[in-house]
């Protein structure tokens, strides 16, 4: 990294904390989402935080997640520490557009199939490419890739220009969360909490995304049923005639 670029990044990191519009002393790191021009500003704030190697909380189309830059090994380690997650358990990545999937995963299905599932509450698992951080999920050759159907996190991934490491906003193995208040125990360890309100009144949303392994051409394996199991299987088996294999 050049000295000029390095100084620019340091400047961004120093300024990012001053850019937040605080909601009060107890919630000084919480930023509420607003539509329109305000959303763009919030994307910029969150991008700055991630680019500085920090971990933030974000809304998705199912549950709240915590995210860091997937290509930043120190940030990924911090993500695991905050979650108290076993390092042997993989973390998915989040991208902004379907075309981005091809850079990080070895896609075995048609673009039409991808477009039928994404954006949406589905995580697609492929063999990883050499471009992905080797320190992210080093124990597997696979990677789960998400494009949530949520405008903020999609714009955030697009703004960062690289994948986000994304996992649920809770202590590992505890209940997933639909409001930011449900994971207040994590707030002190997070640089920013993006509050998108109550994500759903349907308890089914707590199941998170449906995780499906598509690494073998012509076949699929459901790794986690999640909140979109039936619609995912209908598309894979019913529309595209892929063969389901047991896990």
């Amino acid at each position: 990294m050049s000295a000029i670029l390095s100084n620019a990044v340091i400047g961004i990191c120093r300024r990012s904390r001053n850019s937040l519009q605080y909601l009060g002393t107890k919630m000084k790191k919480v930023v509420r989402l607003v539509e329109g021009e305000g959303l763009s500003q919030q994307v910029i704030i969150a991008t700055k935080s991630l680019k500085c190697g920090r971990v933030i909380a974000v809304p998705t189309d199912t549950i709240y997640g915590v995210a860091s830059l997937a290509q930043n090994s120190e940030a990924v380690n911090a993500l695991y520490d905050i979650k108290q997650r076993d390092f042997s358990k993989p973390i998915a990545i989040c991208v902004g557009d379907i075309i981005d999937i091809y850079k990080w995963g070895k896609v075995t299905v048609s673009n039409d199939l991808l477009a039928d599932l994404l954006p949406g509450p589905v995580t697609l698992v492929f063999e990883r490419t050499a471009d992905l951080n080797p320190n992210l999920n080093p124990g597997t050759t696979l990677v789960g890739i998400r494009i949530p159907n949520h405008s903020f996190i999609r714009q955030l991934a697009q703004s960062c220009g690289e994948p986000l490491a994304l996992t649920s906003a809770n202590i590992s193995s505890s209940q997933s969360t639909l409001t930011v208040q449900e994971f207040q125990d994590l707030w002190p360890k997070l640089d920013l909490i993006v509050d998108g309100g109550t994500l759903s009144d349907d308890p089914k949303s707590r199941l998170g995304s449906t995780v499906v392994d598509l690494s073998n051409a012509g076949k699929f394996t459901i790794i986690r049923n999640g909140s979109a199991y039936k619609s995912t299987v209908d598309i894979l088996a019913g529309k595209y005639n892929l063969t389901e294999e047991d896990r």
Side-chain angles (χ1 to χ4, degrees), residues 58-65 94 117-123 146-154 166 177-178 198-202 204-210 224 227-228:
V58 293
T60 75
D61 54 355
T62 53
I63 57 179
Y64 275 90
C94 169
L117 292 175
L118 301 172
V122 183
T123 300
R146 278 272 271 143
I147 307 179
N149 188 20
H150 192 287
S151 59
F152 172 80
I153 194 167
R154 288 192 65 196
L166 179 67
T177 56
L178 297 176
T198 301
L199 299 183
S200 176
D201 294 322
D202 184 356
K204 185 180 178 182
S205 292
R206 291 191 190 273
L207 297 175
S209 65
T210 296
R224 182 177 73 193
S227 59

Side-chain angles (χ1 to χ4, degrees), residues 223-239:
I223 298 175
R224 182 177 73 193
N225 286 1
S227 59
Y229 171 78
K230 185 180 184 303
S231 60
T232 301
V233 171
D234 285 347
I235 289 171
L236 295 176
K239 184 172 181 179

